Amino acid sequence: MNKLRITGMALDETQYLKQINSPEDLRKLPPKELIKVCTELRDFIISSVSCNPGHFGASLGVVELTVALHYVFNTPYDKIIWDVGHQAYGHKILTGRRDRFHTNRKYKGISGFPSIFESEYDAFGVGHSSTSISAALGMAVAAQQKGEDRQIVAVIGDGAMTAGLAFEGLNNLAATKANVLVILNDNNMAIDPNVGGFSDYLVDIATSRTYNKLRREVFKALQKFNIGGPRSREMIIKINNSIKTLLTRQTNIFEGFNIRYFGPVDGHDVERLASVLKDLKEIKGPKVLHIITKKGKGFKLAEENQTAWHATGKKFDPHTGRFLEPSSNKPKPPKFQDVFGHTIIELAKQNNKIVGITPAMPTGCSLNLMMQQMPDRAFDVGIAEQHAVTFAAGLAIAGMVPFCNIYSTFMQRAYDQVIHDVALQKLNVVFCLDRGGLVGADGPTHHGAFDLAYFRCIPNMTIASPMDESELRNLMYTAQLPNQGPFAIRYPRGVGSLINWQTPFEEIKIGTGRKLADGQDLAFLTIGPIGVKVARIVEELQEEGITAGHYDMRFVKPLDEALLHEIFSKYKKIITIEDGTIVGGLGTAVLEFMSDNHYYATVHRMGIPDRFIEQGTQTELARDCGFDMESIRNTARKMAKES
């Protein structure tokens, strides 16, 4: 492999970056020095992420844009909204967090995404996507109301423009005179390549050589006659849009929204970008600047394999790109997402009604395996969770069995569609909720804390969480059987516990749990993979003379009432444990059952408390939430001693 273009330089070896403690320092430099700033900033990001893994390709792709924005605009008075948030590493480094960047995504460190609680330069918190235009419009209208001459910039990219919310914001923006600049960072990628007509449309605009050549000739002619001023600018814009419409044989979608469009512009020419942004500052009202960038720019492997280098889960050599963590030949349990990916293929071969759906996460949820083997039966619908759910409903009402795989935290965006389009009509849509529970370094925007609670109150829903990989397979098998209705299967990020996980399929009776251990002193009621840890704790407590029953509830809706009657008839001390919010989750369901059936027992609920949890490792965060193994052991010991 050829050596990659990266020096891995330390901060004290930089000429410019070490002097930039805020954007004010950046603005003191002459424009010609910005190229060198970009080189140092890109190298700093590569060197940092090689030691502290995190999102990678997206921030490398916007280095020049980041520098140009902070050079031209008076941040933080002027507002920059990054959408999606993992584009913002360079922004963080230039805005006073350079010396803390080594704590990025770590417990008690800085967030991997913009956070209004972290810096005044982070204008709006964003972890997912497509919120920037709506938020920017709100800020711009507020500035107008208060008489502030404030610039508002929304940087939307990495697939975020494929979501309906972005177009809702664009539609509303067009009906105003709000001073908003939307920068469309067009790299034709989310995590995986963008899909859909809008992506193709942007490619048509960007690659029309005839258009770009003719546009340059028109601009030169106008400049030759010294045509300037606001009216002339408007004329140029109209000519620009008309040429584009003629040569691409499409109406410019932004012109259709009555929003002035500029571009496409090379997003890696920092001096040109700065010049364009200065001109756009003088043009009031809504406008779009279309820039073309390459995700992973400046790191060869990230440019060539943008999906794999979207985020680095391991440390790597910044010179060669070789991952540094030693590999082991010892068999390891699979990731839950891979169990899903292989199992849906097995089921689809048996049941020709099964199809797979994901909103822009085929690699993240492993539906890419089905897309490779069965491309006509697996669909990436773009960053569009609401559409994904109603698309699944349409398939289901026509007799198909859609498996709709959406990260738990992103399913929240489609809550109304789940209620009205699926549950109300009792349609057999199987929701596979990946990343349920604490996800780790991605932090509060990505934790799947609320799914058990927010689904439990919806009629007609079946809600389950497997303790291990074999249970996941059997729940998926059960969910695709006839007349099952809306069915949610929730599982965590990371690996499971079984080496030999490809067990034969078995139907699981809906609403049944299972007793894993009998005891006398107290009972553990668990749901999901936390049960594997509790099973070990039960064995450890027995060595201390504490005998605990252990029940894998498996379903939070419907509850196994027969099993609960057995539990409350025998035990007066009960601990419920879930990797989800304790407000409305399994523990709450158990308390409701106890009250409704007039049982009396001491019930201690363990899970995610009623607050947003920051970033860190899953182990650190479980300890912070009070349901790590030591906390569970101590709680059991204390309860066992109480009279």
Side-chain angles (χ1 to χ4, degrees):
M1 181 185 297
N2 295 329
K3 183 171 286 191
L4 304 178
R5 191 215 60 78
I6 169 62
T7 64
M9 64 175 66
L11 181 63
D12 58 6
E13 296 173 336
T14 65
Q15 179 180 356
Y16 298 98
L17 195 59
K18 64 183 178 183
Q19 302 176 41
I20 300 174
N21 297 305
S22 73
E24 288 186 3
D25 297 326
L26 176 66
R27 294 175 202 130
K28 296 174 184 176
L29 298 174
K32 63 181 181 179
E33 303 298 334
L34 297 182
I35 295 175
K36 296 177 182 177
V37 173
C38 292
T39 299
E40 292 184 1
L41 180 59
R42 180 170 277 113
D43 286 353
F44 188 82
I45 292 172
I46 295 172
S47 182
S48 297
V49 178
S50 72
C51 301
N52 180 26
H55 289 100
F56 191 60
S59 284
L60 291 182
V62 294
V63 163
E64 287 80 11
L65 176 62
T66 304
V67 171
L69 283 169
H70 282 295
Y71 189 72
V72 172
F73 291 97
N74 182 29
T75 55
Y77 182 78
D78 293 337
K79 303 297 182 185
I80 301 172
I81 306 168
W82 294 93
D83 180 7
V84 290
H86 57 236
Q87 299 180 103
Y89 282 11
H91 159 80
K92 285 178 177 268
I93 293 164
L94 294 177
T95 55
R97 287 163 281 184
R98 179 197 61 215
D99 296 341
R100 289 188 292 148
F101 195 67
H102 66 281
T103 71
N104 185 45
R105 293 164 52 89
K106 292 183 178 179
Y107 186 62
K108 301 300 183 182
I110 65 173
S111 170
F113 302 95
S115 170
I116 62 171
F117 305 109
E118 186 176 290
S119 172
E120 62 180 338
Y121 289 94
D122 292 357
F124 195 78
V126 57
H128 189 20
S129 78
S130 315
T131 55
S132 59
I133 299 174
S134 299
L137 178 56
M139 293 180 190
V141 169
Q144 287 178 338
Q145 295 288 325
K146 294 188 289 185
E148 298 171 344
D149 185 19
R150 194 188 296 267
Q151 299 279 341
I152 312 293
V153 182
V155 182
I156 185 166
D158 236 34
M161 201 68 195
T162 63
L165 179 58
F167 286 91
E168 292 173 24
L170 204 64
N171 183 59
N172 193 191
L173 175 62
T176 73
K177 295 182 179 179
N179 191 28
V180 173
L181 169 61
V182 177
I183 298 180
L184 176 56
N185 172 29
D186 179 8
N187 62 12
N188 200 35
M189 289 289 294
I191 294 175
D192 295 272
N194 285 343
V195 296
F198 187 73
S199 176
D200 293 339
Y201 168 77
L202 292 178
V203 171
D204 287 344
I205 291 178
T207 58
S208 177
R209 294 182 179 178
T210 306
Y211 156 70
N212 283 295
K213 180 180 179 181
L214 184 54
R215 186 188 67 165
R216 286 193 297 269
E217 295 302 321
V218 170
F219 276 28
K220 286 179 181 178
L222 292 170
Q223 290 172 350
K224 182 178 180 181
F225 292 102
N226 295 318
I227 296 176
R231 289 188 177 181
S232 297
R233 288 196 191 98
E234 290 180 7
M235 179 180 68
I236 292 171
I237 292 165
K238 290 179 179 179
I239 293 172
N240 180 24
N241 288 332
S242 297
I243 294 170
K244 193 179 301 327
T245 299
L246 175 66
L247 295 178
T248 64
R249 297 184 180 180
Q250 293 174 308
T251 300
N252 185 307
I253 191 170
F254 303 105
E255 182 188 13
F257 274 116
N258 198 31
I259 295 175
R260 286 173 285 188
Y261 169 89
F262 302 85
V265 174
D266 180 359
H268 298 301
D269 184 342
V270 66
E271 291 186 76
R272 172 66 175 150
L273 272 178
S275 175
V276 170
L277 291 172
K278 284 181 181 178
D279 289 341
L280 292 180
K281 277 180 67 174
E282 304 303 318
I283 301 175
K284 302 299 181 183
K287 46 200 171 288
V288 170
L289 173 62
H290 180 188
I291 69 169
I292 307 298
T293 63
K294 180 181 284 292
K295 191 169 182 176
K297 176 70 174 178
F299 194 77
K300 185 179 179 182
L301 291 178
E303 292 181 14
E304 294 174 345
N305 193 342
Q306 296 173 342
T307 297
W309 287 87
H310 167 76
T312 60
K314 300 177 182 178
K315 296 180 181 179
F316 62 92
D317 185 328
H319 297 282
T320 66
R322 180 177 58 85
F323 288 108
L324 301 179
E325 294 183 15
S327 58
S328 173
N329 294 325
K330 184 179 179 180
K332 295 190 299 183
K335 294 179 180 179
F336 276 97
Q337 68 180 64
D338 290 336
V339 174
F340 162 82
H342 290 291
T343 301
I344 192 174
I345 293 172
E346 288 183 62
L347 291 171
K349 289 177 179 178
Q350 300 177 17
N351 183 348
N352 60 13
K353 294 181 179 180
I354 288 176
V355 293
I357 302 168
T358 179
M361 293 291 179
T363 301
C365 76
S366 295
L367 190 66
N368 62 324
L369 302 176
M370 186 182 190
M371 294 174 74
Q372 292 163 7
Q373 292 195 33
M374 302 176 172
D376 295 335
R377 294 172 64 184
F379 304 94
D380 177 359
V381 300
I383 302 179
E385 292 83 4
Q386 292 170 289
H387 164 62
V389 171
T390 304
F391 173 48
L395 285 161
I397 209 165
M400 305 300 285
V401 182
F403 278 71
C404 188
N405 192 308
I406 303 180
Y407 286 10
S408 169
T409 188
F410 301 156
M411 176 58 83
Q412 292 155 192
R413 293 189 161 204
Y415 193 65
D416 182 67
Q417 283 68 34
V418 172
I419 294 174
H420 286 180
D421 300 339
V422 178
L424 184 62
Q425 303 185 92
K426 298 183 181 180
L427 298 179
N428 187 193
V429 175
V430 184
F431 296 109
C432 291
L433 305 183
D434 199 339
R435 270 64 166 180
L438 297 170
V439 298
D442 281 336
T445 57
H446 283 60
H447 295 315
F450 309 112
D451 47 14
L452 296 179
Y454 67 61
F455 270 162
R456 197 170 70 83
C457 61
I458 302 176
N460 299 329
M461 290 291 298
T462 296
I463 310 161
S465 184
M467 189 168 124
D468 57 37
E469 300 93 317
S470 180
E471 289 285 285
L472 173 55
R473 286 171 57 78
N474 290 335
L475 285 170
M476 290 176 66
Y477 172 76
T478 302
Q480 55 87 47
L481 295 174
N483 304 314
Q484 296 291 39
F487 203 121
I489 306 172
R490 173 263 205 193
Y491 49 91
R493 177 180 183 270
V495 300
S497 56
L498 300 179
I499 301 296
N500 299 315
W501 57 274
Q502 288 182 299
T503 53
F505 292 124
E506 295 180 13
E507 181 180 357
I508 296 175
K509 185 179 178 181
I510 301 298
T512 60
R514 54 182 179 164
K515 179 166 66 175
L516 301 177
D518 207 352
Q520 297 295 326
D521 298 310
L522 59 102
F524 288 109
L525 276 62
T526 63
I527 189 166
I530 191 72
V532 175
K533 295 180 179 179
V534 172
R536 294 203 298 268
I537 291 172
V538 168
E539 294 177 356
E540 294 168 2
L541 291 174
Q542 190 167 9
E543 295 176 0
E544 300 176 20
I546 300 172
T547 61
H550 181 199
Y551 297 83
D552 172 25
M553 297 307 296
R554 198 154 51 190
F555 293 87
V556 75
K557 186 174 187 175
L559 285 170
D560 189 337
E561 295 195 356
L563 194 60
L564 286 173
H565 280 298
E566 175 187 321
I567 293 166
F568 277 99
S569 296
K570 180 175 182 179
Y571 297 96
K572 297 302 178 185
K573 299 173 184 178
I574 295 170
I575 301 173
T576 67
I577 309 175
E578 57 199 303
D579 187 3
T581 178
I582 60 171
V583 180
L586 173 66
T588 299
V590 170
L591 288 175
E592 291 169 355
F593 173 87
M594 182 179 74
S595 176
D596 292 344
N597 291 277
H598 309 293
Y599 286 111
Y600 298 93
T602 299
V603 178
H604 184 88
R605 294 174 299 154
M606 304 184 78
I608 299 175
D610 186 21
R611 59 182 171 87
F612 291 106
I613 309 302
E614 298 303 314
Q615 71 276 357
T617 67
Q618 288 168 298
T619 300
E620 289 169 333
L621 298 179
R623 183 178 67 242
D624 190 49
C625 292
F627 66 95
D628 60 306
M629 291 187 70
E630 188 60 30
S631 297
I632 295 170
R633 278 191 291 262
N634 289 337
T635 300
R637 290 169 183 144
K638 182 179 178 181
M639 288 187 72
K641 293 177 182 178
E642 293 174 348
S643 58

